[in-house]
Amino acid sequence: MSYSSDVKEELSIFNNWKNKNLLEAEFLGYILTGNAATNDEEIEFVTDNEFNIERFFRILFNLKIEYEPETKGKSFIARIKNIEVTNRFNNFLGELSDEIKKTIIRGAFLGAGSVTDPEKNYHLEIGFGNEKNAEYISNLCKSYGVCFKILKKQDKFLLYIKEVEQISVFLACIGANKAVLKLEDIRIFKEMKNNVNRIVNCETANLNKTVDAAISQIEDINFLKKMNKFEDMSLELIEVANLRLEHPEFSLKELGQMLKEPIGKSGVNHRLKKIHDLAEELRK
């Protein structure tokens, strides 16, 4: 199963069956979404997710709302006479408790939400048939620090978030705690992997610079030997030049530590620069 299906499976076993207010709040979330088409006569809810439809049917049963189930291809459909739900939601027009708000949001996600596998990408969205319903759910989510963006796509409106922290807060808000733990595990692993890659890339870049510099220094030394000018250098320069030829892979710091009288990185660099300048003079 996909990560999105795992989230919905976890939410589908949420136990609030004995609380009529919470069931009505969740039902409201479902029918606010773009998967519910409403006219004067009926409400038609459509989903391809079996966890969605099973929970939706059970909500209708517990609320004693009559419906007609139907299947069409891979889609599950519930048809409800609109008169069954008229005036049912007057209780949700005023100030709402945290529990009611979170339940409405959960219903909306179950009704028309999806979340991308976090191993691939970070993206969560909920689809709506009109902007008013999208803004209603968006405003409820702002109470919990989740700020959705709204995108109009043809005749649909999408609420979406792409920040992993926001997705984590949203899933925690609707009670998908197992999904949050999995998301956080994946996020931490990806961050650690990225940090390791940055370190490796940095070390590789530094190593490449060391190798390139060593090759250039060896070319200068060999050129001086070819021109019979190597022995004309000072003993300090000859000593560091011989060490460079013997240890092309060593850093400047390592070369400095191997000298009879050890010096630091800048001292070795100074001597090799003198060798380079002598070679350049001869090349002119």
Side-chain angles (χ1 to χ4, degrees), residues 129-142:
N130 61 69
E131 190 172 12
K132 180 181 178 181
N133 290 354
E135 289 181 343
Y136 176 74
I137 295 298
S138 177
N139 287 332
L140 290 183
C141 291
K142 285 179 182 177

Side-chain angles (χ1 to χ4, degrees), residues 84-115:
E84 289 280 350
V85 294
T86 302
N87 299 322
R88 185 176 282 271
F89 303 117
N90 289 336
N91 293 333
F92 302 110
L93 297 177
E95 189 70 24
L96 304 177
S97 69
D98 272 355
E99 195 173 16
I100 290 292
K101 285 192 287 187
K102 288 179 179 180
T103 304
I104 295 173
I105 296 167
R106 185 188 308 120
F109 179 79
L110 280 167
S114 64
V115 56

Side-chain angles (χ1 to χ4, degrees), residues 29-266:
Y30 270 94
I31 66 172
L32 286 174
T33 68
N35 282 346
T38 305
N39 57 42
D40 292 337
E41 295 183 357
E42 69 175 14
I43 296 172
E44 180 186 88
F45 177 75
V46 183
T47 180
D48 294 338
N49 188 286
E50 60 180 304
F51 299 116
N52 276 7
I53 202 65
E54 287 176 4
R55 184 168 180 86
F56 189 64
F57 285 161
R58 190 171 177 184
I59 290 172
L60 296 176
F61 175 80
N62 279 272
L63 290 176
K64 296 180 171 55
I65 297 174
E66 294 185 6
Y67 66 93
E68 294 180 9
E70 185 182 331
T71 57
K72 186 180 293 184
K74 293 183 178 180
S75 296
F76 305 96
I77 303 170
R79 299 184 189 280
I80 309 161
K81 290 183 180 179
N82 204 355
I83 194 170
E84 289 280 350
V85 294
T86 302
N87 299 322
R88 185 176 282 271
F89 303 117
N90 289 336
N91 293 333
F92 302 110
L93 297 177
E95 189 70 24
L96 304 177
S97 69
D98 272 355
E99 195 173 16
I100 290 292
K101 285 192 287 187
K102 288 179 179 180
T103 304
I104 295 173
I105 296 167
R106 185 188 308 120
F109 179 79
L110 280 167
S114 64
V115 56
T116 304
D117 184 345
E119 290 187 1
K120 299 176 181 177
N121 197 10
Y122 298 127
H123 182 91
L124 184 148
E125 66 179 46
I126 309 173
F128 296 86
N130 61 69
E131 190 172 12
K132 180 181 178 181
N133 290 354
E135 289 181 343
Y136 176 74
I137 295 298
S138 177
N139 287 332
L140 290 183
C141 291
K142 285 179 182 177
S143 306
Y144 306 101
V146 179
C147 298
F148 277 97
K149 294 179 181 178
I150 299 181
L151 172 68
K152 185 176 181 181
K153 195 172 183 180
Q154 297 177 345
D155 59 341
K156 299 287 185 179
F157 290 85
L158 290 179
L159 290 183
Y160 71 93
I161 43 178
K162 290 182 175 292
E163 298 79 15
V164 63
E165 293 84 2
Q166 290 273 287
I167 294 172
S168 184
V169 172
F170 177 85
L171 293 177
C173 172
I174 62 175
N177 298 319
K178 290 181 181 178
V180 172
L181 292 175
K182 183 175 180 180
L183 174 65
E184 289 300 315
D185 284 345
I186 292 171
R187 180 184 66 82
I188 291 169
F189 177 77
K190 287 173 74 172
E191 287 181 356
M192 288 178 62
K193 184 178 178 181
N194 289 336
N195 287 336
V196 169
N197 286 338
R198 278 194 292 269
I199 292 170
V200 169
N201 290 337
C202 181
E203 289 181 348
T204 300
N206 290 336
L207 180 59
N208 288 337
K209 287 180 182 178
T210 300
V211 170
D212 289 343
I215 291 171
S216 177
Q217 292 155 6
I218 290 170
E219 287 177 351
D220 289 337
I221 295 166
N222 287 333
F223 178 73
L224 289 171
K225 284 191 172 187
K226 181 180 178 181
M227 301 299 293
N228 296 318
K229 295 294 182 179
F230 184 79
E231 299 298 334
D232 293 344
M233 296 191 301
S234 67
L235 293 177
E236 289 181 344
L237 297 186
I238 291 173
E239 183 185 13
V240 78
N242 283 327
L243 282 174
R244 171 50 81 202
L245 292 175
E246 293 170 10
H247 305 284
E249 77 282 6
F250 277 18
S251 66
L252 299 185
K253 182 179 179 181
E254 289 171 320
L255 290 177
Q257 291 172 346
M258 294 185 69
L259 294 170
K260 290 179 181 178
E261 295 183 9
I263 59 175
K265 176 181 175 181
S266 60

Side-chain angles (χ1 to χ4, degrees), residues 9-26:
E9 181 182 13
E10 180 182 356
L11 295 176
S12 71
I13 59 175
F14 209 89
N15 191 347
N16 56 2
W17 303 116
K18 294 182 180 180
N19 190 316
K20 183 181 177 182
N21 287 334
L22 293 182
L23 289 180
E24 289 191 336
E26 189 171 337

